[in-house]
Amino acid sequence: MSIIMKLSYYGIRGNLLLWIKAFLSNRFQSVSINGKKSSPKPVLSGVPQGSILGPVLFLLYINDISNSINAKLRLFADDCILYREIYSVSDCTFLQDDLDKLALWANTWQLNFNVKKCYHLGITCKKIPTPYSYTLNGSPIATVTSTKYLGITISNTLNWNKLVDNICNSANSTLGLLRRVLSECSHKVKDTAYRTLVRPKLEHASCAWNPYRQQNINKIESIQRRAACYVLNDYSRYSHVTPMIQSLGWESLHYRRLLSQATMFYKIHVGISFPSDVQPNHRPLRTPNYCPYKQVKVNNDTYKFSFFPRTIPLWNNIPFYNSNIINIDSFKSNAFLTIRSD
């Protein structure tokens, strides 16, 4: 088996390798409906779904997929994204060469890509982008204006209009379901249901896509306003929603997204490296932060409201004095107070 060859290459040998081989060999599967099972059929490939060992074996199996790839490759479970800066047609050719290498790897190790789920998304500020039709294993890759990656809808203009529409539609649908099935429940149960099932849909990875256009901010806040009416069972046209939200102790979703950005910046600061254009500011500044950063130079709104240029001014205003004390809860408290005061 291919996985056994790779495990041996990684240094897993002896009894452990024999045990894994026995774990994967001679397996059968059947379908059970209403207590009746179909005749068992042999499992010829893959790892047992739902097993603890399965994800580890899969990651080891695809670990060498990036070998000989010149473009940047990002992997998350079975999702793969390949990207490269395109300045001319020759760059497109290099990217196509990498796609051919991926196809060769897939054919060699019998783990084929689903071309129907592969998309080409070109992101550019040019009025006339460089045209090129990419293929994978001889099949054309569809060109799209937006696509999902890890649950986030990314558009070719890098605005978040479609993402906001998608998450609001999903959150509205879930909120409608809660209104039907939990209509007779207490305020506490409804509050918990909103925080658990609806709000996470509005905040998934929000530190990366926090919108800056007021129409998108209002659209997201409107979901929470409807949720407040649902939780308190107050749909009167004469009632004001803002006092409802305050009585429930809910913070503005906009503030929560800014807090998420600041917290992510803090985690990068204490445990990860920044990109080269994010540099500490060693000049004396009137700031409560012991380690301010220089503001990134910005040429357009798309970059201006991206993560680092938007978060650095917020970070510089957050009281944070001692680099040796790493307390995320204390930092969040200071960050929240700073955001509220702004």
Side-chain angles (χ1 to χ4, degrees):
M1 290 186 294
S2 300
I3 182 64
I4 300 301
M5 294 171 54
K6 290 197 172 186
L7 292 176
S8 178
Y9 173 79
Y10 292 138
I12 301 175
R13 303 185 180 94
N15 290 335
L16 179 57
L17 185 63
L18 293 175
W19 182 89
I20 295 176
K21 184 176 181 180
F23 173 70
L24 297 175
S25 304
N26 301 318
R27 301 191 71 94
F28 294 84
Q29 64 181 5
S30 59
V31 178
S32 177
I33 300 177
N34 296 329
K36 295 184 179 181
K37 290 185 178 181
S38 65
S39 57
K41 299 293 182 182
V43 178
L44 303 178
S45 63
V47 295
Q49 298 295 309
S51 64
I52 296 176
L53 195 58
V56 177
L57 293 176
F58 178 78
L59 293 176
L60 290 172
Y61 192 73
I62 67 171
N63 188 56
D64 61 345
I65 191 174
S66 61
N67 291 356
S68 74
I69 298 296
N70 295 315
K72 294 181 180 179
L73 184 74
R74 294 291 181 266
L75 296 171
F76 186 87
D78 60 347
D79 281 326
C80 173
I81 182 171
L82 184 73
Y83 60 99
R84 181 188 183 99
E85 292 185 21
I86 303 296
Y87 297 101
S88 63
V89 176
S90 61
D91 291 318
C92 298
T93 304
F94 291 142
L95 186 58
Q96 180 61 58
D97 289 341
D98 286 332
L99 288 170
D100 294 338
K101 292 175 184 177
L102 287 178
L104 178 61
W105 179 92
N107 292 331
T108 301
W109 297 106
Q110 302 176 353
L111 191 66
N112 296 325
F113 292 99
N114 188 345
V115 182
K116 294 182 179 179
K117 293 184 178 180
C118 296
Y119 304 100
H120 165 226
L121 178 68
I123 300 173
T124 180
C125 294
K126 295 180 180 179
K127 293 183 179 180
I128 303 177
T130 304
Y132 199 90
S133 297
Y134 297 97
T135 61
L136 183 62
N137 207 20
S139 300
I141 298 176
T143 300
V144 296
T145 57
S146 65
T147 188
K148 274 191 175 184
Y149 179 63
L150 302 182
I152 301 300
T153 302
I154 303 175
S155 71
N156 60 347
T157 59
L158 288 183
N159 70 54
W160 304 112
N161 297 341
K162 190 163 187 178
L163 169 67
V164 171
D165 288 341
N166 289 343
I167 65 172
C168 286
N169 290 338
S170 177
N172 257 329
S173 178
T174 303
L175 184 59
L177 176 64
L178 295 181
R179 289 180 61 177
R180 292 191 295 273
V181 300
L182 300 179
S183 59
E184 303 301 325
C185 293
S186 66
H187 295 172
K188 184 177 181 180
V189 171
K190 292 179 179 179
D191 187 342
T192 302
Y194 165 72
R195 293 171 183 259
T196 305
L197 301 175
V198 179
R199 193 164 69 184
K201 292 179 178 289
L202 301 172
E203 296 185 331
H204 171 62
S206 61
C207 62
W209 57 262
N210 185 11
Y212 65 92
R213 293 180 176 175
Q214 195 61 45
Q215 61 179 10
N216 287 331
I217 295 174
N218 293 340
K219 190 176 293 184
I220 298 173
E221 293 292 344
S222 69
I223 308 297
Q224 177 155 277
R225 295 170 69 86
R226 281 193 285 272
C229 296
Y230 152 72
V231 170
L232 297 177
N233 197 31
D234 187 350
Y235 299 97
S236 172
R237 59 184 296 184
Y238 301 105
S239 299
H240 295 284
V241 180
T242 301
M244 295 185 196
I245 293 176
Q246 292 175 347
S247 68
L248 290 167
W250 296 351
E251 298 300 334
S252 162
L253 297 178
H254 175 62
Y255 288 150
R256 288 177 58 86
R257 290 192 299 273
L258 291 176
L259 178 61
S260 176
Q261 284 189 302
T263 303
M264 178 57 68
F265 196 97
Y266 171 86
K267 291 178 179 178
I268 298 173
H269 170 77
V270 299
I272 313 175
S273 60
F274 284 106
S276 58
D277 56 343
V278 178
Q279 296 291 331
N281 194 343
H282 299 297
R283 296 177 60 186
L285 299 174
R286 294 181 179 179
T287 171
N289 196 306
Y290 85 96
C291 186
Y293 284 84
K294 297 178 182 178
Q295 179 60 43
V296 178
K297 295 182 180 179
V298 178
N299 295 322
N300 54 59
D301 281 353
T302 301
Y303 188 31
K304 177 180 179 180
F305 293 100
S306 62
F307 178 77
F308 286 114
R310 191 177 187 185
T311 310
I312 287 174
L314 176 62
W315 164 267
N316 290 342
N317 287 326
I318 297 174
F320 186 45
Y321 302 104
N322 194 336
S323 61
N324 297 319
I325 299 176
I326 302 176
N327 187 329
I328 187 101
D329 293 329
S330 175
F331 174 80
K332 282 184 177 181
S333 298
N334 291 342
F336 183 74
L337 291 175
T338 302
I339 293 169
R340 286 294 302 274
S341 63
D342 289 345

